[in-house]
């Protein structure tokens, strides 16, 4: 019970879940370990219709990070509900649907369909994907547009809505406050930082899409800082992510103010990483003298320690 | 699926080309599959299975960037974190057919193990191996032990001068297995051989089918190189 | 001559210079190699009066990056002019003064003093330092404030003014266009990304200042993307920086649109890094078939290559 | 100043404590100075000189995080990129004075080389070395060979139970050289010994005085640990 976390719509047996887009719909990882051990699963983004996504190369490596420009490839919301959710429903874990689109209407459609499925416990509103021409990022960098979209999706959804914030903004707290005021039940953060790599032998960007989203350990300090700021600015819970690969990374996010943590890129380096973190958590809490994992939530700002 | 493999040997066998042998747990490893190998870098590196003897897997790899440079610095006794075998390899049920193997540069490795497995089934094969130049050639004797082997070099410093497509035009076979750089694959995909199987390379994220990094256009939509391939029938992919 | 780069106020014998704050006033590095080999030197930020800066720890390591919160420690503009510039004037290289402050008046004062000294060839207007309570960042994240400060400093300076942009903004091109319109002669970018690290044994941020600026290889993809965007949006030259440690990193920035490159954090990993890059440049240009280094400037967006 | 040093040996000598010997180019290395050592991580790691014999420098280091863990994995024959010697060490011109050396945990290393150099000048010293527990103790015999050596452990598993301040109160000396954790340095800085020199630790960037990461408050303003120190007279710094 020391790992149990209760969030709107989500009864997490532990605060660890794979991040959207880094775990597909769970099928591949289910061959490696029992998905029922996960706190939850954030499934890959769904759009109204199926999408092929961007050209390849779609990934490029950077120093302790990676750029991706998958471009929301997915079979479309109906196919996901029909083909993917039945399999996911066989596991004892909370499934969170990642909702994307190019227009408010598409977002609303996906949210309505997804939230109607009993397997889905909450929605994650993806207003921050940097890799698609229309939609995504624009909603994610303007507080008013983000709030409006949140309102529309909240109205369409029968399940709690978590809004996923983009770090590519001047004021992350302004974004967070805007979506909170618009009715968001929670915040997930951060999505990827927009970046580029150029191949010096061709002089051209490595990604076919030219720009892509930076993730992995490289971005963790930015993610921690943003969670730390947002946790002090809003009253809704935060699911933190960005560069998590170890149990101590998880604790860092919770100290910063997150109530749960998602793991993205690290699943590529080590497909067993979520399992390993979950197994390592109790021992690490013992070592640090922490009883319940949420006992330390926000302690990085709540408790001020005198310094030399 | 993931395991710690002990390095048995790791040595230079041609220009910037290394042969690494690692000991893995006993298991089936099909020709044409690959391992996703952890290096000093963040993402794993896909490397084809070049051979398997008892529990020892051979990788033949070219030193390109940071990941393969890190591998090249490993020593006997070091332990390597490998994920695999992954993907689907070459079909070996060609019992009464004549098979030609066409490899280019660092696409040659998977064809060696494939040829050995075909030979074990009594299937006769011709191999056409293309390299840039004489000093890049590796495993020539090993290939020759298994049957007719034609070597081409782009600069003519050894074997036939030119590309693999030259000798391929003269070969009479039913099935083609190929691995190599994209321009070569495009050329052999258009060859006269009836049944053509190509092993495709693409930048990967997960290596297991979950991230959609490695997709390749296909007539029906797309395929994932890591989990649907890396070996495809030529008709299955749009190069 | 294939490395020579002409910029407003600066005749660079090569496009490599140490970044501000990572090279002090050159004294320590002068013991290691001849500073005359450098294209230029961007000296440490100067304020009106001497400043002690923040408490320690002032640095924290992250995955292929570091956070710093030095807090503009410096002896003040007058002491710098008196004690540091005479030494720097003995080298055959272009000295660029980094101008900081808490108020517009302080910026103007520093700019006036610095630009009056013959050793200084150009000013770098630091509107983007995340580590000081007053000034710095605010000027660097609001286009109107940045433009106004640029105008004031331009009016006070007898030398060209380069404005150093903060990456912590929603639209880097809006910032760049604003300072260009206000009369900036060039842009230097990027300063550090705001980040944080938490010590899980104490639950507190590692830096005494809590937040700090992220630099090093981890941020390079963000820097490259921003240079690529800004180079297409403005007509003034860009000095690019952020994670440069190799000769190929330099080329990446120039392909993205920079005319010269600064090296910061890498000087800590390898104090000879600028020398080594400068020595390696001609050979690498030969290998890649590049005649003059600026032949490739902006080629990442100018030349569009067809892709499969 | 920067050089590639070949590792001569690298072995565990106490709980999580390693002794590494590296061969450097012939040069003067003063006691109390340090090297800034490149590891797998971005920033270098400062390590004190624990000994010098001919061209071989000894480091004694505790495995704390990623940087020291990487060092611990290096083997004989590997090459280490080191920058140094850096900083200013302990003053050795104490000819007619009695010197007490006070070290705590991983602050003990620089005192060994310092004691050797003092002994070489015929200066008699007393050493007080504090450790957490018996299994953390290292270099006890080496210290004893050079004179009176008092060991304390916090848990009393060896030597005197408690902190170094216990025995220090009983010692009669003119000069104190100390290195160890900050609370210990604060305590010894307040001791009765007239001339007190402290070696200070702080997180570093450049290690050569250029970045102002390592500053320490001082009565007149500040000092830089890396280039003004790491050894200071107690009056020169505000702990
Ligand atoms: C299924 C498969 C099997 C392969 N088998 C072999 C083999 O047996 N021998 C061999 O030498 N090479 C093989 N390759 C290519 C090998 O994976 C790359 O050469 C290697 O990843 C380069 O890594 P690096 O760090 O040295 O280079 P870098 O260029 O620094 O790598 C940067 C990134 O690009 C990726 N990348 C670079 N080149 C390729 C490439 N050609 N294909 C896929 N990703 C690439 C890397 O994996 C890494 O993520 C195979 C590739 C695939 C997809
Ligand atoms: C002048 C000087 C001499 C030193 N001599 C020794 C020695 O002889 N033996 C020894 O075991 N240790 C010594 N230390 C401490 C040693 O530098 C740290 O233990 C080491 O840097 C930890 O690195 P890490 O990667 O294992 O730990 P991490 O905690 O992962 O390091 C993260 C960052 O914090 C820094 N850091 C962590 N602890 C310290 C510390 N105590 N002092 C300074 N920076 C720190 C690291 O350098 C790195 O930048 C010395 C420190 C200084 C300043
Ligand atoms: C290959 C890849 C695909 C992603 N796809 C999605 C997606 O479909 N929807 C989404 O909201 N975020 C997506 N993300 C972002 C991640 O969910 C996560 O926010 C980000 O990668 C930061 O976490 P990490 O550093 O642990 O990867 C994707 C990330 C990667 C690397
Ligand atoms: C320790 C440190 C101190 C810095 N001080 C300054 C400064 O005084 N003024 C300034 O404009 N930038 C300062 N910077 C930012 C750098 O000049 C540079 O913009 C940034 O570090 C990105 O480059 P890099 O990744 O090569 O370090 C500092 C950076 C570091 C790491
Ligand atoms: S590499 Fe992830 S799907 Fe193929
Ligand atoms: S570490 Fe840079 S000044 Fe001391």
């Amino acid at each position: 019970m020391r790992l149990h976390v209760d969030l709107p719509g989500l009864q997490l047996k532990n605060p660890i879940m794979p991040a959207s887009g880094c775990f597909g719909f769970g099928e591949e990882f289910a061959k490696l370990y029992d998905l029922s051990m996960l706190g939850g699963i954030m499934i890959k983004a769904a759009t109204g219709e199926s999408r092929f996504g961007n050209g390849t190369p779609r990934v490029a490596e950077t120093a302790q990070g990676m750029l991706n420009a998958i471009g929301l490839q997915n079979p479309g919301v109906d196919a996901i509900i029909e083909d993917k959710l039945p399999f996911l429903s066989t596991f004892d874990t909370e499934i969170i649907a990642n909702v994307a689109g190019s227009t408010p209407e598409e977002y609303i459609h996906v949210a309505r369909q997804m939230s109607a499925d009993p397997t889905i416990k909450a929605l994650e509103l993806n207003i921050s994907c940097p890799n698609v021409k229309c939609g995504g990022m624009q909603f994610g960098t303007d507080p008013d547009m983000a709030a409006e979209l949140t309102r529309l999706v909240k109205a369409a959804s029968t399940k709690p809505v978590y809004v996923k914030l983009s770090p590519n903004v001047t004021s992350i707290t302004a974004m967070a406050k805007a979506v909170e005021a618009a009715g968001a039940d929670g915040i997930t953060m951060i999505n990827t930082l927009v970046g580029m790599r150029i191949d010096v032998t061709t002089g051209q960007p490595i990604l076919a899409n030219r720009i892509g989203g930076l993730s992995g350990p490289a971005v963790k300090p930015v993610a921690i800082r943003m969670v730390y700021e947002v946790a002090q600015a809003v009253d809704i819970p935060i699911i933190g992510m960005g560069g998590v690969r170890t149990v101590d990374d998880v604790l860092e996010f919770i100290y910063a103010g997150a109530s749960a943590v998602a793991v993205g890129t690290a699943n590529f380096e080590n497909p067993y990483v979520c399992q390993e973190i979950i197994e390592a958590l109790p021992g690490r809490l013992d070592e640090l003298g922490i009883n319940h994992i949420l006992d330390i939530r926000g302690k990085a700002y709540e408790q001020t320690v005198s310094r030399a | 699926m993931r395991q710690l493999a002990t390095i048995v040997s790791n040595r230079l066998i041609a220009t910037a080309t290394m042969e690494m042998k690692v000991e893995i747990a006993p298991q089936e490893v099909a020709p044409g599959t690959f391992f996703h190998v952890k290096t000093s870098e963040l993402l794993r590196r896909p490397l084809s299975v070049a051979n398997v003897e008892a529990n020892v897997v051979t990788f033949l790899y070219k030193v390109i960037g940071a990941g393969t440079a890190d591998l090249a610095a490993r020593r006997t006794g070091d332990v390597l974190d490998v994920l695999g075998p992954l993907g689907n390899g070459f079909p070996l049920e060609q019992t009464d057919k004549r098979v030609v193997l066409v490899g280019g540069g660092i696409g040659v490795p998977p064809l060696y193990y494939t040829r050995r497995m075909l030979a074990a089934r009594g299937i006769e094969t011709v191999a056409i191996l293309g390299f840039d130049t004489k000093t890049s050639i590796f495993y020539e004797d090993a290939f020759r032990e298994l049957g007719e082997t034609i070597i081409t070099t782009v600069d003519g410093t050894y074997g036939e001068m030119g590309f693999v497509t030259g000798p391929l035009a003269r070969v009479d076979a039913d099935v083609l297995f190929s691995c190599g750089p994209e321009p070569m694959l495009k050329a052999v995909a258009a060859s006269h051989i009836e049944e053509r199987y190509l092993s495709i390379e693409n930048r990967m994220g997960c290596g297991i089918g979950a991230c959609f990094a490695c997709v390749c256009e296909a007539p029906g939509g797309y395929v994932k190189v890591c989990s649907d391939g890396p070996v495809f029938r030529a008709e299955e992919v749009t190069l």
Side-chain angles (χ1 to χ4, degrees), chain B residues 10 12 30 216 237:
Chain B
N10 190 23
L12 192 76
C216 177
V237 287

Side-chain angles (χ1 to χ4, degrees), chain A residues 153-173:
Chain A
V153 167
K154 264 299 279 182
S157 171
T158 57
K159 304 272 166 70
V161 175
Y162 291 73
V163 180
K164 185 160 185 177
L165 299 186
S166 165
N168 303 287
V169 294
T170 306
S171 172
I172 193 76
T173 52

Side-chain angles (χ1 to χ4, degrees), chain B residues 1-238:
Chain B
M1 172 123 103
R2 186 181 50 146
Q3 52 189 302
L4 296 178
T6 305
I7 298 175
V8 175
S9 65
N10 190 23
R11 63 192 185 96
L12 192 76
I13 57 167
T15 303
T17 308
M18 302 284 295
E19 177 201 66
M20 180 188 275
K21 300 193 178 203
V22 303
E23 199 177 321
I24 59 164
Q27 65 202 288
E28 278 283 311
V29 181
T33 60
F34 68 98
F35 280 83
H36 217 24
V37 178
K38 181 86 190 93
T39 70
S40 56
E41 305 307 293
L42 184 69
L43 296 174
R44 287 171 181 265
R45 301 303 195 246
L47 290 182
S48 301
V49 173
N51 200 10
V52 182
E53 291 165 304
N55 296 332
V56 174
V57 171
T58 303
F59 300 121
L60 300 173
Y61 61 97
K62 187 145 184 195
V63 179
I64 305 275
T68 48
D70 174 61
L71 287 182
R74 306 290 179 106
R75 310 193 210 165
T76 302
D78 283 354
V79 156
L80 203 64
D81 172 350
V82 302
L83 191 69
L86 299 171
N88 299 298
F90 292 104
L92 297 182
E93 301 72 24
Q94 313 295 337
T95 18
D96 53 355
K97 296 182 180 153
R98 289 157 306 165
V99 179
V100 57
L101 305 164
V102 182
I106 208 59
V108 168
L111 299 181
Y112 177 67
Y113 182 43
T114 305
R115 191 175 207 185
R116 270 198 58 214
M117 289 297 103
L118 288 169
R121 289 164 181 250
I123 299 166
E124 219 178 283
T125 54
V126 179
I128 308 174
L129 310 178
F131 296 93
D132 284 342
T133 187
K134 186 177 172 184
T135 54
S136 301
I137 299 169
F138 56 87
Y139 267 43
E140 181 185 358
D141 293 345
F143 269 95
R144 291 210 188 279
E145 272 173 32
L146 296 171
E148 188 185 347
T149 302
I150 303 164
I151 307 259
T152 65
T153 54
V154 177
D155 63 2
T157 42
Y158 190 85
E160 283 190 42
M161 174 150 163
F163 296 97
V164 292
T165 39
L168 179 58
R170 303 191 307 258
V171 165
D172 195 15
D174 308 300
V175 182
L176 174 145
F177 287 175
S178 186
C179 184
E182 198 172 303
M184 187 198 94
L185 289 183
K186 275 189 181 155
V188 306
S191 80
H192 64 291
I193 314 284
E194 201 184 317
E195 225 181 303
R196 286 146 293 143
Y197 293 89
L198 313 176
S199 180
I200 312 260
E201 287 188 8
N202 209 341
R203 293 195 177 225
M204 292 187 179
C206 67
I208 59 174
C211 77
F212 293 85
C214 66
V215 298
C216 177
E217 256 188 272
Y222 68 91
V223 289
K224 289 184 268 189
V225 169
C226 68
S227 53
D228 298 327
V231 175
F232 297 95
R233 284 196 65 136
E235 298 74 24
E236 289 175 320
V237 287
T238 316

